[in-house]
Amino acid sequence: QSKFGGTSLALDGTGDYATFIGGLPFGTGDFTIEMFVYYTANTGNPCLLDARNSSDNNGIVLYSGPSSQLTYFFGSDRIVSSTVASTGAWHHIAVCRASASTKLFFNGTQIGSTYSDTHNSVAQPTTTIGSFVGGSEYLNGYIDDFRISKTARYTSNFTAPSEPFADKG
């Protein structure tokens, strides 16, 4: 499965995930984290991204909650939506902070409430994709066109991208 280009990150839900060195050092500034996700199964609490040092809640986390609803949290602040990502289809998921207001988007539509966000996102040793930090609640599906930006790309509803993100050389 791939959304664009013939390849994607394939995760089978049985202990595999990807990591990259460093956390998401946005400080208190603007950011966007976005990706296309294709769930093969959406059970449990599959994690899309976890940028914490441990399970101490001090960092950015994006996952499907106990009832498969999309959830974003940082510390004790959460955006919990009633939106459930279906299996067998590609979905664009984005979280964006602009001027201390954080929003969660599903296929270009804001889901959940906007919350005032003054959290200081600092660099952690690693960021995990497809699992919670330490390895649990593995994603069963695919991730394509994963992008992190230190800018607020979306501040209101938008049309989800229909082409791959442009490479920066």
Side-chain angles (χ1 to χ4, degrees):
Q1 285 290 334
S2 67
K3 176 71 176 170
F4 305 112
T7 60
S8 65
L9 175 62
L11 302 165
D12 66 10
T14 60
D16 49 354
Y17 55 91
T19 59
F20 60 88
I21 303 300
L24 303 175
F26 302 125
T28 58
D30 295 351
F31 68 84
T32 302
I33 301 167
E34 63 185 312
M35 66 195 83
F36 285 90
V37 178
Y38 182 105
Y39 289 91
T40 304
N42 190 2
T43 57
N45 299 300
C47 187
L48 301 175
L49 175 132
D50 191 343
R52 299 174 292 169
N53 189 31
S54 64
S55 59
D56 64 2
N57 292 340
N58 190 20
I60 294 170
V61 180
L62 182 60
Y63 71 104
S64 291
S67 300
S68 299
Q69 76 277 11
L70 289 172
T71 303
Y72 165 84
F73 75 83
F74 192 127
S76 61
D77 294 315
R78 297 177 188 270
I79 298 173
V80 180
S81 75
S82 59
T83 300
V84 175
S86 62
T87 59
W90 284 101
H91 305 288
H92 181 259
I93 298 171
V95 61
C96 184
R97 178 168 65 189
S99 301
S101 292
T102 298
K103 298 178 181 183
L104 180 60
F105 296 94
F106 181 76
N107 292 329
T109 301
Q110 183 180 347
I111 56 176
S113 299
T114 302
Y115 84 86
S116 178
D117 183 355
T118 58
H119 291 288
N120 183 18
S121 179
V122 299
Q124 301 292 353
T126 62
T127 295
T128 303
I129 301 168
S131 168
F132 283 113
V133 65
S136 67
E137 302 297 349
Y138 303 100
L139 175 66
N140 187 349
Y142 303 88
I143 296 177
D144 203 355
D145 261 35
F146 179 91
R147 176 167 69 175
I148 299 171
S149 307
K150 288 182 99 171
T151 185
R153 293 186 179 273
Y154 313 111
T155 57
S156 61
N157 292 347
F158 60 95
T159 301
S162 59
E163 297 179 359
F165 302 137
D167 291 336
K168 299 289 183 185

